[in-house]
Amino acid sequence: MTAATHSTLFPQVPDSADAVLDGLDPEQREVATALHGPVCVLAGAGTGKTRAITHRIAYGVRAGMLQPSSVLAVTFTNRAAGEMRGRLRQLGAGGVQARTFHSAALRQLQYFWPKAVGGSMPRLVDRKIQLVADAAAACRIRLDRGELRDVTAEIEWSKVTQTVPADYVPAVAKSGRVAPRDPAEIAQIYATYEDVKRDRSVIDFEDVLLLTVAVLQDRHDIAEQVRSQYQHFVVDEYQDVSPLQQRLLELWLGERDSLCVVGDASQTIYSFTGATPDHLLDFRTRHPGATVVKLVRDYRSTPQIVHLANGLLAQARGRAAEHRLELISQRGPGPEPAYTEYADEPAEAEGAARRIRDLVAGGVPASEIAILVRTNAQSETYEQALADAGVPYQLRGAERFFDRPEVRKAISALRAAARFGANDSLLDDVVDLPSQVRAVLSGEGWTSQSPVGSGAVRERWESLAALVNLAQDFTTAKPGAALADLVAELDERANAQHAPTVQGVTLASLHSAKGLEWDVVFLVGVAEGMMPITYAKTDEQIEEERRLLYVGVTRARERLHVSWALSRAPGGRPNRRPSRFLDGLRPGSVTTAARTGTAGSGGIVRGFGGSPGAAPRRTQRTPARCRVCGRTLTDAGEMKLMRCDECPSDMDEGLYERLREWRAVQAARSGQPAFCVFTDRTLMAIAETVPDEAGELARIPGVGVRKLNRYGSDVLAICAGQEVEGEGGSD
């Protein structure tokens, strides 16, 4: 969730240019009123940089100093560009172009292609990985799935750093970059990849920038036409600019200097893609007369969280660290960050899910909670744990809200109802706007009760529920609004990609969480080997990992939970230790230089996945092994079944169906989704094991002490072939 959606959903448009400046702090106001010459804004996390630059644009437009169509605001993600357009619209500057580098370049390339090249522009491919696979095959080089992904990333890095195939080998050596394969082989695949694209008349996303640069360099008449259109530029997240993007920006600017850049070198986390903070750090060298404004007032996080964030950067090294910003929290005090150590990763996931369940039960909206992981591979364990705990969640990185099929269909239905509602029997007995929306969307699958499970059906319902909630908020902000007004609002939001909030805990990687914020954040897997990641070897790579953790910490507004596991799987050797980045910051730890012995004592809360007061669990387990083939199990789903997925199942199908019927009764009586009683995997494990006593049942992953006490007698009776009434044991 962003600051924009956390504040008033439908603010009033300021009635004058001066009113646009209301509520800005002195530094933000300085940014907003610096409309001439080059401007560099060094903005720390949570300091309101988007607020400052959108108010700058809006103030210039409303004061008549900037023509909306002459401004191009550029950022790095469609979400960020959509948020910027939404904010500008709310400030009365809706005609400004806010786009990603690729979107702006593609638009120009499509327009000028007939004039610059002639004929039809080649087709743009969404994903290049199949083309890379074909190129590797043509070179008689075999790549597995991981190598294919790595070579594709190398090609992307080469193109954004403007490195041609013939120069790849020396460029890798000069940069100190560690190639995933023999650099000569990668160069060969890269060259063949370019041939394959040419033969098939297709281009990739990097080509969009490269070709736009080529057109603007070679055709001065076209360059001048672009420059006459766009005269003022704003670049957000400037620390993430690649050499290719910087070259395109220079061509857009020409000899002019009407440029405002915003960034924070301490949030540079994409250098593996070719991004570099050098353009930000060298801005004053290239523009000696630039206005430089530093934003350090942190409005997002409590002093306790800001203290940890500042502490992380205080230990950093390198050029970016020399330009770090010391944040000053503007919020009241909150709880100290919590640090928890677990025996293994499944226990860590269960512990986080249990705490989140308690937070939601205590009134914290699920949409205000996030679990942030270092790699996407960690996600599945947390998905399972959240499902077991009955906590709804959404995966960050899925398709954009307004691009979802169910959302497009729902808006079409609302538009039809707005036009022909008088003839729609669904609307006969409803009068207010929220009731009309609920009636229309009930025909699209929305119900007042959320569905069980956490798959596609649940995600579809969550999308429709977000529209229902938005209708209620819209009515509160604009009493008397009609269905047609809501449809117009949805159309404007879709154009701006200003999505409503979808309920559910966010599960995201640290990289995809950039630019977002939540009331409560769980940073999980903060152990050596994961943070920093194992393959981070050089000083520069280690420092980028530190910055990535800094980004994670600064996503939290009020509460921060940091955790790690001593081993990966139950029964594994407890040879992991907390991340070195926490040394001297977490209670009871010392700095890395003075460190001796093992970590994790004084001041660390140890989480064992059991109920309060229960004995520690999982500390003495033997490695989990498949009971069919004997292979060591590491996948959470396989460990729950105690066998490999590909090994044959000896499940009692009749018992499994009886357990499912019993579970349905339990879920209905308790008013919770069925998977909150037991997941399908756990029922499968029970039907395969057929336990005959409590100890055997308790050893099945997914049962646990609480569920054993509540449901154990019923499950054992069903396994023994006895009839049960379905109400289960007592709590």
Side-chain angles (χ1 to χ4, degrees), residues 50 75-85 98 100 236-237 496:
T50 305
T75 187
F76 284 82
T77 67
N78 288 313
R79 182 203 56 78
E83 180 185 347
M84 192 176 292
R85 287 194 295 270
T100 65
D236 194 11
E237 304 289 2

Side-chain angles (χ1 to χ4, degrees), residues 366-544:
S367 59
E368 287 296 349
I369 305 173
I371 298 176
L372 304 183
V373 297
R374 174 61 182 85
T375 68
N376 289 323
Q378 297 168 268
S379 173
E380 183 178 357
T381 302
Y382 287 89
E383 291 180 57
Q384 183 66 47
L386 290 169
D388 286 347
V391 177
Y393 66 89
Q394 57 176 327
L395 293 175
R396 180 73 197 166
E399 62 186 327
R400 292 182 290 177
F401 181 83
F402 288 104
D403 290 341
R404 299 175 187 175
E406 66 271 17
V407 173
R408 293 201 302 267
K409 189 177 178 185
I411 293 177
S412 294
L414 291 171
R415 180 174 289 107
R419 291 177 178 173
F420 311 111
N423 300 319
D424 192 336
S425 59
L426 279 174
L427 303 180
D428 285 348
D429 299 323
V430 295
V431 290
D432 65 317
L433 177 58
S435 298
Q436 290 177 327
V437 172
R438 288 193 292 268
V440 172
L441 296 189
S442 65
E444 302 300 319
W446 178 83
T447 58
S448 58
Q449 293 295 321
S450 62
V452 300
S454 57
V457 173
R458 175 71 187 221
E459 292 177 1
R460 185 170 181 272
W461 182 89
E462 292 283 5
S463 297
L464 299 177
L467 294 175
V468 171
N469 293 335
L470 182 69
Q472 184 62 59
D473 293 333
F474 188 68
T475 302
T476 301
K478 300 185 176 182
L483 191 55
D485 299 321
L486 176 64
V487 170
E489 172 69 21
L490 289 171
D491 286 341
E492 289 194 35
R493 282 174 168 257
N495 290 332
Q497 285 298 331
H498 182 192
T501 301
V502 177
Q503 294 301 314
V505 172
T506 300
L507 183 55
S509 70
L510 285 164
H511 282 99
S512 65
K514 179 77 166 61
L516 303 175
E517 58 188 70
W518 298 268
D519 284 347
V520 186
V521 169
F522 286 76
L523 288 176
V524 299
V526 189
E528 287 292 307
M530 192 62 73
M531 181 61 68
I533 199 76
T534 305
Y535 52 75
K537 302 295 185 183
T538 67
D539 289 344
E540 291 81 5
Q541 291 169 339
I542 295 294
E543 288 305 315
E544 180 138 339

Side-chain angles (χ1 to χ4, degrees), residues 36-112:
H36 302 289
V39 178
C40 179
V41 183
L42 302 176
T47 57
K49 67 177 181 62
T50 305
R51 177 180 175 83
I53 58 176
T54 52
H55 281 68
R56 177 183 187 271
I57 295 170
Y59 176 71
V61 169
R62 299 291 298 276
M65 290 182 277
L66 299 177
Q67 291 299 316
S69 60
S70 72
V71 180
L72 179 59
V74 189
T75 187
F76 284 82
T77 67
N78 288 313
R79 182 203 56 78
E83 180 185 347
M84 192 176 292
R85 287 194 295 270
R87 291 200 190 193
L88 289 169
R89 179 168 65 90
Q90 293 169 352
L91 292 170
V96 173
Q97 291 292 314
R99 296 182 174 274
T100 65
F101 270 101
H102 283 87
S103 173
L106 179 60
R107 194 179 189 199
Q108 293 173 19
L109 192 62
Q110 289 171 329
Y111 183 81
F112 289 112

Side-chain angles (χ1 to χ4, degrees), residues 595-608:
R595 186 179 193 135
T596 59
T598 57
S601 52
I604 303 301
V605 178
R606 300 185 182 276
F608 298 98

Side-chain angles (χ1 to χ4, degrees), residues 467-654:
L467 294 175
V468 171
N469 293 335
L470 182 69
Q472 184 62 59
D473 293 333
F474 188 68
T475 302
T476 301
K478 300 185 176 182
L483 191 55
D485 299 321
L486 176 64
V487 170
E489 172 69 21
L490 289 171
D491 286 341
E492 289 194 35
R493 282 174 168 257
N495 290 332
Q497 285 298 331
H498 182 192
T501 301
V502 177
Q503 294 301 314
V505 172
T506 300
L507 183 55
S509 70
L510 285 164
H511 282 99
S512 65
K514 179 77 166 61
L516 303 175
E517 58 188 70
W518 298 268
D519 284 347
V520 186
V521 169
F522 286 76
L523 288 176
V524 299
V526 189
E528 287 292 307
M530 192 62 73
M531 181 61 68
I533 199 76
T534 305
Y535 52 75
K537 302 295 185 183
T538 67
D539 289 344
E540 291 81 5
Q541 291 169 339
I542 295 294
E543 288 305 315
E544 180 138 339
E545 293 288 299
R546 186 194 305 276
R547 294 194 294 269
L548 189 57
L549 182 58
Y550 171 80
V551 167
V553 167
T554 55
R555 300 310 94 195
R557 294 193 193 102
E558 298 172 4
R559 304 183 205 178
L560 178 67
H561 296 263
V562 183
S563 64
W564 59 90
L566 296 179
S567 67
R568 179 181 179 187
R573 291 184 60 189
N575 56 1
R576 289 182 175 177
R577 64 181 180 87
S579 169
R580 72 190 74 171
F581 300 144
L582 300 178
D583 290 345
L585 298 175
R586 59 183 176 82
S589 68
V590 294
T591 59
T592 304
R595 186 179 193 135
T596 59
T598 57
S601 52
I604 303 301
V605 178
R606 300 185 182 276
F608 298 98
S611 56
R617 292 169 38 188
R618 292 195 170 106
T619 54
Q620 299 298 322
R621 284 188 185 173
T622 57
R625 298 187 183 278
C626 174
R627 52 190 168 80
V628 179
C629 70
R631 180 177 69 85
T632 300
L633 302 176
T634 57
D635 177 78
E638 291 182 339
M639 287 190 288
K640 187 160 280 192
L641 294 177
M642 291 307 293
R643 64 170 173 82
C644 307
D645 278 336
E646 59 267 24
C647 283
S649 170
D650 54 358
M651 182 175 69
D652 184 332
E653 296 284 353

